[in-house]
Each structure stands twice: as structure tokens, then as C-alpha cells.
Amino acid sequence: MYGMYLGQHQGETPKTIDDLRKFVEKKTSKDQLTRLGAANINDLFVSRRDGKPFVMVSYNKPPTMGEQGLPPVVLYEAEGENGKKAVAFLGAGTRTVDESELQKLLPADAKPRR
């Protein structure tokens, strides 16, 4: 959905997680929520592992591929579990990483938003 947001906003990234939430709410049907195992839109923005809202990464310009050849990180767990945080990449895909690896995946100009 982050990628769809970029496409429908001429490459402008969401500035807050509420911007992204409102967009997802407009684009997601009740059937889609059910398939995702979510009772409502807010469930999509809270980690099932740590029970905390995801942190969104806000970029000043459309993000590009990261230094490690991975798509840019757009969301990650605030706390995670057992020293690991789940991260979501632009365009799909997730990975569980420790704090050190997360910091390597985040570009210097990325701004975490809660």
C-alpha cells in the first residue's frame, strides 16, 4: 500500500503514519481485512508480536534501492521480540533483523514516524 500511495501521489511519500492509514482505509475493503485477519484498519498498523504500532519511515523524496540491494524499509516494529524487529520493504517482502542490521537498512535521511 505504501507503493500505491507513492503512485497515486506523484511519488510523494506519506509524511505521517496517519496519512498512510487514511489511504489504506480508503483502499481496503472489509473482505480484504477479513482475509488479512484484521478486525479493522488499525489492526494493520500494530505488530502482533510486540503489540505496539509500527514505525513508518518517511522519506524526503521517493526512496530508491538500499545499499544492500534491498528495497527501502517503509515500516518496522517499534520493539520487536527477542531482540529482533520485523521490517517491511517497499513493494512487499519482510525480514526479521536485529537493531544493528535495521540501522544499516535505514538511510541517513529517513525519518522514523510513530
Side-chain angles (χ1 to χ4, degrees):
M1 291 302 254
Y2 193 106
M4 284 180 63
Y5 184 102
L6 290 172
Q8 293 186 17
H9 291 87
Q10 294 74 44
E12 186 175 317
T13 63
K15 297 303 175 207
T16 68
I17 200 151
D18 284 333
D19 291 342
L20 183 60
R21 182 182 288 116
K22 289 174 189 172
F23 178 78
V24 171
E25 189 168 24
K26 288 180 190 175
K27 301 293 181 183
T28 306
S29 70
K30 289 188 184 264
D31 287 342
Q32 288 171 310
L33 283 174
T34 300
R35 283 194 302 272
L36 293 169
N40 57 57
I41 292 297
N42 289 330
D43 286 352
L44 299 177
F45 289 86
V46 174
S47 166
R48 292 179 185 169
R49 291 174 4 119
D50 67 18
K52 300 194 181 307
F54 287 105
V55 177
M56 184 189 81
V57 181
S58 179
Y59 295 86
N60 292 327
K61 58 186 178 181
T64 58
M65 292 297 271
E67 290 180 21
Q68 297 180 20
L70 294 168
V73 172
V74 293
L75 294 169
Y76 60 91
E77 287 179 310
E79 202 168 287
E81 183 178 73
N82 298 323
K84 303 276 186 168
K85 295 181 180 184
V87 298
F89 297 97
L90 179 63
T94 61
R95 180 185 278 187
T96 304
V97 299
D98 63 24
E99 184 65 30
S100 173
E101 187 173 356
L102 173 62
Q103 293 308 311
K104 291 175 188 173
L105 293 171
L106 295 173
D109 67 344
K111 296 179 182 69
R113 306 287 184 183
R114 295 178 194 251

